[in-house]
Amino acid sequence: MQSFWQYVSFVMNFLVFLLIGIEIHVGELLKNGTSVMLAIVAVLVGCVLSVYALVPLSNLFVERIPLRWQHVAIWGGLRGAPALALALSSNSEFPYREQILILTFGVAIFSILVSQSSPS
């Protein structure tokens, strides 16, 4: 059963990235490099703040989550498919849709490259 759901997850991720590949041009991604970098920093800061601020609060009520696991939770939360699917589902007349797609794709690519290059 687990291998089936892993396969379904792989296919869904493939389809989302295929669709975003149709929508995004690499030139646009490179042209908006500064904005993409700022989006990456904003996402990382948001992850750090949410994990390191909320986990100590949850530790008061449930089993304690070690600091090492908190570090993993920050990197584990960076996934692109759900965010890309949400961005792609926006109406074509949605204000700043292209910018949202570019920034979301840039953060997702960063997430994939960093998680794949990190030692396991």
Side-chain angles (χ1 to χ4, degrees):
M1 186 57 94
Q2 184 178 2
S3 62
F4 169 76
W5 287 113
Q6 286 177 341
Y7 180 73
V8 168
S9 172
F10 171 77
V11 169
M12 296 307 288
N13 278 319
F14 169 77
L15 290 174
V16 167
F17 280 95
L18 179 68
L19 288 172
I20 199 72
I22 293 170
E23 291 283 326
I24 298 289
H25 302 289
V26 177
E28 290 294 318
L29 189 64
L30 296 175
K31 190 167 72 172
N32 293 295
T34 305
S35 298
V36 170
M37 289 302 209
L38 288 172
I40 291 168
V41 169
V43 167
L44 289 174
V45 167
C47 287
V48 166
L49 289 176
S50 64
V51 169
Y52 291 137
L54 296 177
V55 168
L57 182 65
S58 76
N59 284 343
L60 297 173
F61 303 104
V62 294
E63 185 178 342
R64 188 179 179 287
I65 299 173
L67 187 61
R68 287 178 147 178
W69 291 10
Q70 293 175 39
H71 302 320
V72 172
I74 290 170
W75 287 112
L78 293 177
R79 294 288 172 216
L84 287 170
L86 284 171
L88 281 170
S89 69
S90 63
N91 191 346
S92 60
E93 287 88 31
F94 189 80
Y96 304 108
R97 181 180 190 269
E98 293 302 316
Q99 187 70 15
I100 291 169
L101 285 172
I102 290 167
L103 295 178
T104 306
F105 186 66
V107 171
I109 291 297
F110 170 81
S111 164
I112 291 168
L113 293 177
V114 169
S115 68
Q116 294 301 319
S117 65
S118 297
S120 19

